[in-house]
Amino acid sequence: MLILSIDTALDACAAAVLDTSAGGAIALESQPMKRGHAEALMPLIARVMKASGIAFAALDRIAATTGPGSFTGLRVGLSAARGIALAAGKPVVGVTTLTAFAAPIVSANSEHPVMSAVDARHDHVYFQVLGGDGRSLINAKVAPIVEALDAARFGAPHLVGNAANILADRWPADAPPPFKVDQQAAPDIAWVAWLGAAVNPETSAARPYYLRAPDAKPPKDPLPGAAQPPAS
């Protein structure tokens, strides 16, 4: 299976072409990036596709990260993935950033629980906790950091994600310390592709995975003194 994976959900702009029969990515590029994904992504995808020697029509599937992450960034990646999928007549699937962070650790059959976490700001994190065998211990959610730290009850975890250091710095002193702290700005784009190859297109839609509403919201009531439309 040939998979094009795309990730713009966090602080990277990345793409890869995975050939499952070859056992790995045949081309990939990942650039650290906090802003500017919209301008950088399509040229980056073009370079990756050229390096792979694969035509878009030869792809079997397109995979993109769905979040949690930057509302603007993940929409850039998802829009590109949908557009390519539509033009090439191929299915497109979504992969969450939390799952992508955890996947390489779980695949190694870790003896420790795996806690993947993304900074949600305002003293909150997006996180999920998996057993070393991949079973779910805490489903993906957004919560105050103090609540997320309750995951210490499962034992010394392997912390991974862009909030790994945040959790490690505030880990309860009376709990076993984290087994490993793996701070990453973004998930491994090759693992996004592997997950994209494994998921069911019918149940892994390529749409934003929001665990909370955007910070910016329109006012519920008009501003004081604002002009009102005439009654009809």
Side-chain angles (χ1 to χ4, degrees):
M1 188 180 286
L2 295 171
I3 309 291
L4 169 64
S5 59
I6 298 168
D7 173 42
T8 55
L10 295 169
D11 291 345
C13 184
V17 174
L18 169 73
D19 183 347
T20 59
S21 63
I26 55 177
L28 64 81
E29 183 177 340
S30 181
Q31 296 183 3
M33 189 175 300
K34 291 184 179 294
R35 297 178 181 83
H37 298 83
E39 295 77 16
L41 180 59
M42 293 310 294
L44 186 149
I45 291 174
R47 292 192 298 271
V48 169
M49 291 298 294
K50 182 178 180 179
S52 75
I54 301 296
F56 284 104
L59 295 169
D60 293 293
R61 188 177 291 180
I62 293 89
T65 46
T66 59
S70 160
F71 285 89
T72 301
L74 66 90
R75 284 184 173 276
V76 168
L78 287 169
S79 295
R82 289 171 179 165
I84 293 169
L86 181 62
K90 305 296 180 179
V92 58
V93 297
V95 174
T96 74
T97 51
L98 294 173
T99 301
F101 275 130
I105 303 168
V106 171
S107 73
N109 297 314
S110 172
E111 296 180 359
H112 298 267
V114 180
M115 184 175 186
S116 50
V118 170
D119 186 5
R121 302 182 181 179
H122 311 300
D123 210 44
H124 283 62
V125 290
Y126 304 108
F127 76 102
Q128 70 179 23
V129 183
L130 303 175
D133 58 1
R135 72 187 189 281
S136 179
L137 300 177
I138 299 178
N139 292 332
K141 63 190 296 187
V142 60
I145 291 174
V146 66
E147 180 179 330
L149 294 173
D150 186 52
R153 70 184 187 275
F154 296 112
H158 188 143
L159 300 178
V160 63
N162 74 358
N165 284 342
I166 293 174
L167 295 177
D169 289 346
R170 294 175 59 175
W171 201 252
D174 58 350
F179 164 72
K180 186 174 181 180
V181 180
D182 193 0
Q183 177 77 13
Q184 296 182 25
D188 185 330
I189 189 61
W191 274 99
V192 174
W194 278 112
L195 289 168
V199 299
N200 182 346
E202 299 297 323
T203 58
S204 300
R207 59 173 177 260
Y209 183 60
Y210 294 149
L211 292 175
R212 74 174 181 192
D215 290 333
K217 298 180 181 179
K220 292 182 179 179
D221 301 309
L223 294 174
Q228 299 298 306
S232 56

